[in-house]
Amino acid sequence: MLQLHIWPIVGLALLVLLDIVVILRQSDDRKLKKYLRIQAIAWTTLMSMIAFTGATIMAFMHLDFTVKIVLMIVAAVALSSLELRRHYLVRDARPGNECFAEVRKKALRYYLYQAAWLLMIGGLAPQL
């Protein structure tokens, strides 16, 4: 059961790293906006899988709220809020304007924050 919870987390981490690479390499603003809007579906699917398997594991194993579980819940909320802010930022952006460079920087910053959250929780979870 735990394997079903770990693989979507690995997939989410890979997706976030792929998004960082795409933001840095893609020069066409329209293609970048289209990619970021489409990949949000994959991000949402993976995050839903993580939340569902986490809740199932807690119910199945009769786990109490420990520090590790509370941190994972906080991380899920933080990741979701960062993704929501990035999604609205990209949705309202107009490709081709000089302000799209600022959108690109903010989206990159949100993805770096998400990667940091994933690294913190992934690195701290076994020790707690």
Side-chain angles (χ1 to χ4, degrees):
M1 186 70 165
L2 194 57
Q3 293 296 325
L4 290 175
H5 186 64
I6 291 174
W7 284 112
I9 295 171
V10 171
L12 185 65
L14 291 174
L15 182 65
V16 168
L17 291 176
L18 179 68
D19 293 340
I20 291 171
V21 169
V22 168
I23 287 175
L24 293 174
R25 309 269 272 149
Q26 181 62 261
S27 59
D28 187 9
D29 293 342
R30 293 187 195 288
K31 287 182 181 178
L32 178 64
K33 181 176 179 174
K34 184 177 180 179
Y35 169 79
L36 291 176
R37 297 279 312 264
I38 291 172
Q39 71 78 30
I41 298 168
W43 194 98
T44 305
T45 302
L46 288 170
M47 200 62 197
S48 299
M49 289 171 64
I50 292 168
F52 178 74
T53 57
T56 305
I57 289 171
M58 277 191 65
F60 182 71
M61 298 181 78
H62 303 290
L63 296 176
D64 294 326
F65 281 100
T66 61
V67 174
K68 177 173 41 172
I69 292 173
V70 170
L71 284 176
M72 287 183 192
I73 292 169
V74 168
V77 170
L79 288 170
S80 297
S81 67
L82 286 169
E83 182 64 17
L84 192 62
R85 294 180 86 191
R86 189 224 39 95
H87 177 73
Y88 286 136
L89 177 75
V90 171
R91 183 192 70 181
D92 296 337
R94 299 284 181 242
N97 291 345
E98 59 276 350
C99 67
F100 199 80
E102 187 65 30
V103 169
R104 196 181 277 264
K105 284 186 213 174
K106 284 185 180 180
L108 180 62
R109 187 177 333 139
Y110 291 147
Y111 281 127
L112 290 174
Y113 289 154
Q114 286 180 1
W117 269 104
L118 288 168
L119 286 175
M120 284 189 311
I121 295 303
L124 289 177
Q127 285 82 23
L128 296 177

